[in-house]
Amino acid sequence: MKNLYYFTKKELFESWRTSRLLILLIIFLIFGLMNPLMAKMTPEIIKMTLNEALAKTFPEPTSLDSWTQFYKNLTQIGLIVLALMFSGTVSNEVSKGTLINLVTKGLRRWSIIVGKIISLIFQWSFCLLVCFLVTWGYTAYYFPDNKSPYLFQAVFPLWLFGLLLLSIVLLSSTIARNNYEGLLLTGGIVILLILLNMFDKVKQYNPVSLASQNLNFLQNASAFKDYAPAMILSSFLFLAVLLLSVFIFNRKKL
């Protein structure tokens, strides 16, 4: 366990030293600032692009508009940036041979995979928390209404889907020889989940629903319970993918 601690610490330090964590944090911080600001400025933008009479027909922005921007930005851009940043987390080190010395000095191979996923989870959770808190603070300031009552129920499924995505990224990087192969494999798995979500009977079990039904969770507490099967399945898939990554990495030539 001591080796796992030091390797995880090394991974976090490496992310900071290479500015990956800093870049990710800045992007998510920008999202957090932009979400309520875009919702607040939308009426003015409409006035500038359309005539004022037509602009008056649009409803006044609410907190729901701010959180709509939050989930739109994170699911359409944030998760993609996350996958791009960490697509070579294993393949890059294998190709450079940087793991050989660690393994020959006694570091267990499973510790490498577990240390990496802990590092990725910490970075994703920290950046998501920053984005969430900034959006929540400015949204409460600009839109003091009660139209977005279930904030935790809406953001938790997205966080959980992010964990599953990171495990898929880690597995893809363990299998692949380079970043591009890893990204293609990750993209293929995500596209498959999106296609499966087209079937209504599958939605409540499909992990990708956790990143597409957030506004529904935000307004309706019962919807959160309806998608409990998807949350449970995502948790099991996360563990299964992580174990598969360990299994493959144990047999991979360094």
Side-chain angles (χ1 to χ4, degrees):
M1 295 301 294
K2 187 176 181 180
N3 287 339
L4 174 60
Y5 168 77
Y6 283 116
F7 183 79
T8 304
K9 185 178 178 181
K10 188 273 292 184
E11 284 294 300
L12 290 170
F13 178 76
E14 185 73 15
S15 288
W16 180 259
R17 189 181 65 81
T18 57
S19 300
R20 283 198 301 267
L21 176 57
L22 182 60
I23 292 170
L24 199 62
L25 183 60
I26 290 172
I27 291 172
F28 276 66
L29 181 59
I30 290 172
F31 285 156
L33 294 169
M34 281 178 55
N35 298 324
L37 189 61
M38 285 300 297
K40 184 70 174 178
M41 293 179 60
T42 296
E44 298 300 322
I45 295 172
I46 293 173
K47 285 180 184 179
M48 289 188 291
T49 54
L50 304 173
N51 61 70
E52 191 169 344
L54 186 59
K56 288 181 180 179
T57 62
F58 286 85
E60 287 294 316
T62 66
S63 61
L64 191 59
D65 296 294
S66 178
W67 289 111
T68 299
Q69 290 292 327
F70 174 83
Y71 290 109
K72 181 180 177 181
N73 286 331
L74 286 188
T75 55
Q76 293 184 5
I77 303 174
L79 292 177
I80 294 175
V81 171
L82 199 70
L84 288 170
M85 284 285 187
F86 302 119
S87 60
T89 184
V90 176
S91 58
N92 281 349
E93 294 207 54
V94 171
S95 63
K96 294 176 182 177
T98 55
L99 296 175
I100 296 175
N101 288 336
L102 295 176
V103 172
T104 54
K105 288 180 180 178
L107 181 65
R108 303 292 294 272
R109 290 195 177 207
W110 67 264
S111 298
I112 294 173
I113 297 298
V114 174
K116 283 184 176 294
I117 197 64
I118 292 173
S119 170
L120 296 181
I121 290 173
F122 174 82
Q123 293 175 74
W124 158 240
S125 302
F126 180 63
C127 292
L128 178 63
L129 179 63
V130 169
C131 185
F132 176 81
L133 290 177
V134 172
T135 300
W136 174 77
Y138 278 98
T139 300
Y141 176 77
Y142 287 126
F143 311 107
D145 55 44
N146 295 313
K147 295 187 177 182
S148 308
Y150 304 108
L151 296 178
F152 173 76
Q153 288 92 327
V155 77
F156 175 76
L158 177 61
W159 175 78
L160 188 59
F161 179 76
L163 299 193
L164 178 59
L165 178 64
L166 288 174
S167 69
I168 293 171
V169 169
L170 184 62
L171 174 63
S172 300
S173 185
T174 303
I175 297 172
R177 293 169 296 180
N178 52 56
N179 293 24
Y180 304 108
E181 289 183 2
L183 281 173
L184 284 173
L185 185 55
T186 299
I189 295 171
V190 173
I191 289 172
L192 179 61
L193 291 175
I194 292 172
L195 291 175
L196 287 173
N197 214 44
M198 295 172 63
F199 301 97
D200 291 335
K201 292 182 179 179
V202 180
K203 281 186 177 181
Q204 290 183 330
Y205 301 90
N206 193 344
V208 81
S209 298
L210 304 181
S212 61
Q213 299 294 320
N214 306 96
L215 293 178
N216 193 18
F217 301 145
L218 188 66
Q219 296 177 288
N220 186 1
S222 62
F224 180 81
K225 299 176 184 177
D226 292 340
Y227 284 85
M231 298 179 204
I232 295 171
L233 181 59
S234 295
S235 301
F236 278 112
L237 285 175
F238 169 79
L239 293 174
V241 172
L242 188 59
L243 288 173
L244 182 58
S245 299
V246 172
F247 177 82
I248 293 173
F249 189 68
N250 280 340
R251 286 153 180 78
K252 193 177 184 71
K253 183 178 179 181
L254 297 180

